[in-house]
Amino acid sequence: MVDAITLPKVRNLNSVLFPVRYSGAFYKGLLHPGQFSQLAQYNNISVGTIACRSQPLGFADCSFTTMFDYNSPVPDKFELYMMTLGVLAPYRRLGIGRLFLQNAMEFAFRDQNIVRIVLHVQIDNDDALRFYHKHGFSTLRIVPHYYKNIEPSDAYLLEYRLR
């Protein structure tokens, strides 16, 4: 699990793995309750990481319509949003990503209020799409212009139904 000591390693690894630059708030958020984040190391080398957060059901596909209405009831159903999952190229196909995914699924299964796992995948990331489809995720739709300052900017929204 990621903690204050391993957080800088996650930050460094993310800068190599992903074209997106994450803010300091993103990294601080990984340490909050309700988050799921792990770091894989091999011979003291950081080789992979995953970061997920629990959020109200529908938030990922913008169907959570009451998020700014303070008079609405507190949501009782949630989704686990997979913000990042990445493994350095030389360490891929060794089961690290699969293990990360299994651990995230187990985390979500333990919380009866989490009904699905969702994530966005850049539309040209065929390897990631194959990986998630192989593990039971389905593509819900294309989200136009999801990414800022990255081409292509469109993303697929994927879902794994737990309940």
Side-chain angles (χ1 to χ4, degrees), residues 143-148 153-155:
V143 181
H145 311 294
Y146 176 76
Y147 295 103
K148 309 298 181 232
S153 64
D154 298 345

PDB file of all heavy atoms in Angstrom, residues 143-148 153-155:
ATOM      1  N   VAL A 143     -15.727   9.271 -24.586  1.00  0.00           N
ATOM      2  CA  VAL A 143     -15.855  10.590 -23.972  1.00  0.00           C
ATOM      3  C   VAL A 143     -14.997  11.554 -24.794  1.00  0.00           C
ATOM      4  O   VAL A 143     -13.766  11.515 -24.713  1.00  0.00           O
ATOM      5  CB  VAL A 143     -15.389  10.581 -22.498  1.00  0.00           C
ATOM      6  CG1 VAL A 143     -15.562  11.957 -21.877  1.00  0.00           C
ATOM      7  CG2 VAL A 143     -16.123   9.508 -21.704  1.00  0.00           C
ATOM      8  N   PRO A 144     -15.645  12.419 -25.613  1.00  0.00           N
ATOM      9  CA  PRO A 144     -14.865  13.346 -26.445  1.00  0.00           C
ATOM     10  C   PRO A 144     -14.102  14.359 -25.584  1.00  0.00           C
ATOM     11  O   PRO A 144     -14.608  14.833 -24.561  1.00  0.00           O
ATOM     12  CB  PRO A 144     -15.931  14.059 -27.287  1.00  0.00           C
ATOM     13  CG  PRO A 144     -17.178  13.259 -27.137  1.00  0.00           C
ATOM     14  CD  PRO A 144     -17.068  12.530 -25.827  1.00  0.00           C
ATOM     15  N   HIS A 145     -12.891  14.658 -25.994  1.00  0.00           N
ATOM     16  CA  HIS A 145     -12.067  15.701 -25.359  1.00  0.00           C
ATOM     17  C   HIS A 145     -11.880  15.483 -23.863  1.00  0.00           C
ATOM     18  O   HIS A 145     -11.819  16.435 -23.093  1.00  0.00           O
ATOM     19  CB  HIS A 145     -12.655  17.087 -25.620  1.00  0.00           C
ATOM     20  CG  HIS A 145     -12.988  17.322 -27.052  1.00  0.00           C
ATOM     21  ND1 HIS A 145     -12.027  17.379 -28.042  1.00  0.00           N
ATOM     22  CD2 HIS A 145     -14.186  17.469 -27.673  1.00  0.00           C
ATOM     23  CE1 HIS A 145     -12.627  17.572 -29.205  1.00  0.00           C
ATOM     24  NE2 HIS A 145     -13.920  17.619 -29.020  1.00  0.00           N
ATOM     25  N   TYR A 146     -11.767  14.233 -23.441  1.00  0.00           N
ATOM     26  CA  TYR A 146     -11.574  13.925 -22.019  1.00  0.00           C
ATOM     27  C   TYR A 146     -10.223  14.446 -21.532  1.00  0.00           C
ATOM     28  O   TYR A 146     -10.118  15.009 -20.451  1.00  0.00           O
ATOM     29  CB  TYR A 146     -11.692  12.418 -21.776  1.00  0.00           C
ATOM     30  CG  TYR A 146     -11.411  12.034 -20.350  1.00  0.00           C
ATOM     31  CD1 TYR A 146     -12.356  12.262 -19.355  1.00  0.00           C
ATOM     32  CD2 TYR A 146     -10.183  11.489 -19.979  1.00  0.00           C
ATOM     33  CE1 TYR A 146     -12.095  11.940 -18.034  1.00  0.00           C
ATOM     34  CE2 TYR A 146      -9.911  11.163 -18.660  1.00  0.00           C
ATOM     35  CZ  TYR A 146     -10.875  11.391 -17.697  1.00  0.00           C
ATOM     36  OH  TYR A 146     -10.609  11.085 -16.386  1.00  0.00           O
ATOM     37  N   TYR A 147      -9.179  14.234 -22.329  1.00  0.00           N
ATOM     38  CA  TYR A 147      -7.832  14.644 -21.935  1.00  0.00           C
ATOM     39  C   TYR A 147      -7.539  16.052 -22.442  1.00  0.00           C
ATOM     40  O   TYR A 147      -7.912  16.409 -23.554  1.00  0.00           O
ATOM     41  CB  TYR A 147      -6.780  13.672 -22.488  1.00  0.00           C
ATOM     42  CG  TYR A 147      -6.887  12.287 -21.917  1.00  0.00           C
ATOM     43  CD1 TYR A 147      -7.461  11.249 -22.646  1.00  0.00           C
ATOM     44  CD2 TYR A 147      -6.425  12.008 -20.644  1.00  0.00           C
ATOM     45  CE1 TYR A 147      -7.559   9.973 -22.125  1.00  0.00           C
ATOM     46  CE2 TYR A 147      -6.528  10.731 -20.105  1.00  0.00           C
ATOM     47  CZ  TYR A 147      -7.096   9.730 -20.852  1.00  0.00           C
ATOM     48  OH  TYR A 147      -7.197   8.464 -20.330  1.00  0.00           O
ATOM     49  N   LYS A 148      -6.873  16.810 -21.624  1.00  0.00           N
ATOM     50  CA  LYS A 148      -6.438  18.152 -21.992  1.00  0.00           C
ATOM     51  C   LYS A 148      -4.950  18.103 -22.317  1.00  0.00           C
ATOM     52  O   LYS A 148      -4.179  17.463 -21.609  1.00  0.00           O
ATOM     53  CB  LYS A 148      -6.675  19.144 -20.844  1.00  0.00           C
ATOM     54  CG  LYS A 148      -8.085  19.122 -20.280  1.00  0.00           C
ATOM     55  CD  LYS A 148      -9.112  19.498 -21.315  1.00  0.00           C
ATOM     56  CE  LYS A 148     -10.502  19.481 -20.723  1.00  0.00           C
ATOM     57  NZ  LYS A 148     -11.434  18.695 -21.494  1.00  0.00           N
ATOM     58  N   SER A 153      -7.317  13.252 -27.721  1.00  0.00           N
ATOM     59  CA  SER A 153      -7.912  13.734 -26.465  1.00  0.00           C
ATOM     60  C   SER A 153      -9.118  12.917 -26.026  1.00  0.00           C
ATOM     61  O   SER A 153      -9.583  13.069 -24.896  1.00  0.00           O
ATOM     62  CB  SER A 153      -8.306  15.209 -26.602  1.00  0.00           C
ATOM     63  OG  SER A 153      -9.313  15.354 -27.594  1.00  0.00           O
ATOM     64  N   ASP A 154      -9.639  12.057 -26.898  1.00  0.00           N
ATOM     65  CA  ASP A 154     -10.818  11.258 -26.553  1.00  0.00           C
ATOM     66  C   ASP A 154     -10.423  10.040 -25.718  1.00  0.00           C
ATOM     67  O   ASP A 154      -9.308   9.541 -25.808  1.00  0.00           O
ATOM     68  CB  ASP A 154     -11.535  10.790 -27.813  1.00  0.00           C
ATOM     69  CG  ASP A 154     -12.062  11.932 -28.653  1.00  0.00           C
ATOM     70  OD1 ASP A 154     -12.127  13.073 -28.142  1.00  0.00           O
ATOM     71  OD2 ASP A 154     -12.407  11.694 -29.825  1.00  0.00           O
ATOM     72  N   ALA A 155     -11.377   9.584 -24.931  1.00  0.00           N
ATOM     73  CA  ALA A 155     -11.146   8.414 -24.076  1.00  0.00           C
ATOM     74  C   ALA A 155     -12.370   7.508 -24.109  1.00  0.00           C
ATOM     75  O   ALA A 155     -13.493   7.966 -24.346  1.00  0.00           O
ATOM     76  CB  ALA A 155     -10.883   8.842 -22.634  1.00  0.00           C
TER      77      ALA A 155
END
